[in-house]
Amino acid sequence: MATADERGKGIHIGSVRGAFAIGDHNTVTHHEGPAAPAGDPAQEELLRAVRALRDDLSRAVESPQITVLSGELAETEAEIADSGAAGPGRLARLRTALTDAGAVVGLLASGAAVSQAVATLVGG
């Protein structure tokens, strides 16, 4: 809502939602899409677990297996954030990386959570 200021000059705009234009001969077109659908709870759980494991692995001693797993976790996080879900290929690569880094992953609760979330999504 626009109102005159104390001196009777100018315009004060309290808040705006959407699009607006100021001045003569302006045209504004605003299209608002539907709300984003709620995410898959299993994918959301995987995302939380992936983030926790990435945080835990940042304190682990580097090894080739940990490096590969860290990369797969980062790619999984990005894929879920971008598309809302990790695809079957990504889940398979993550599962392999988890298995290869099993000695470290088995010691971390976050590793068990990721393994369980992946198993839920791939069915076993």
Side-chain angles (χ1 to χ4, degrees), residues 5 15 23 36 46-47 55 73 77 86 92-93 97-98 106 114 116 122-124:
D5 66 11
S15 65
L46 175 59
L47 181 58
D55 185 51
L73 290 167
E77 183 176 354
R93 288 188 297 277
L98 286 164
V114 171
Q116 187 174 26
V122 297

Side-chain angles (χ1 to χ4, degrees), residues 16-19 29-36:
V16 174
R17 180 167 186 247
T29 304
H30 177 72
H31 300 280
E32 196 166 315

Side-chain angles (χ1 to χ4, degrees), residues 26-69:
N26 290 311
T27 302
V28 175
T29 304
H30 177 72
H31 300 280
E32 196 166 315
D40 177 1
Q43 292 284 344
E44 290 174 8
E45 179 59 33
L46 175 59
L47 181 58
R48 281 190 295 276
V50 162
R51 287 176 174 160
L53 182 54
R54 286 187 72 199
D55 185 51
D56 287 346
L57 287 179
S58 70
R59 295 181 293 279
V61 175
E62 274 298 312
S63 71
Q65 295 83 8
I66 297 300
T67 300
V68 170
L69 177 57

Side-chain angles (χ1 to χ4, degrees), residues 43 46 76 79-80 83 85-93 122:
Q43 292 284 344
L46 175 59
T76 301
E79 188 170 323
I80 295 170
S83 68
R90 173 70 54 210
L91 293 172
R93 288 188 297 277
V122 297

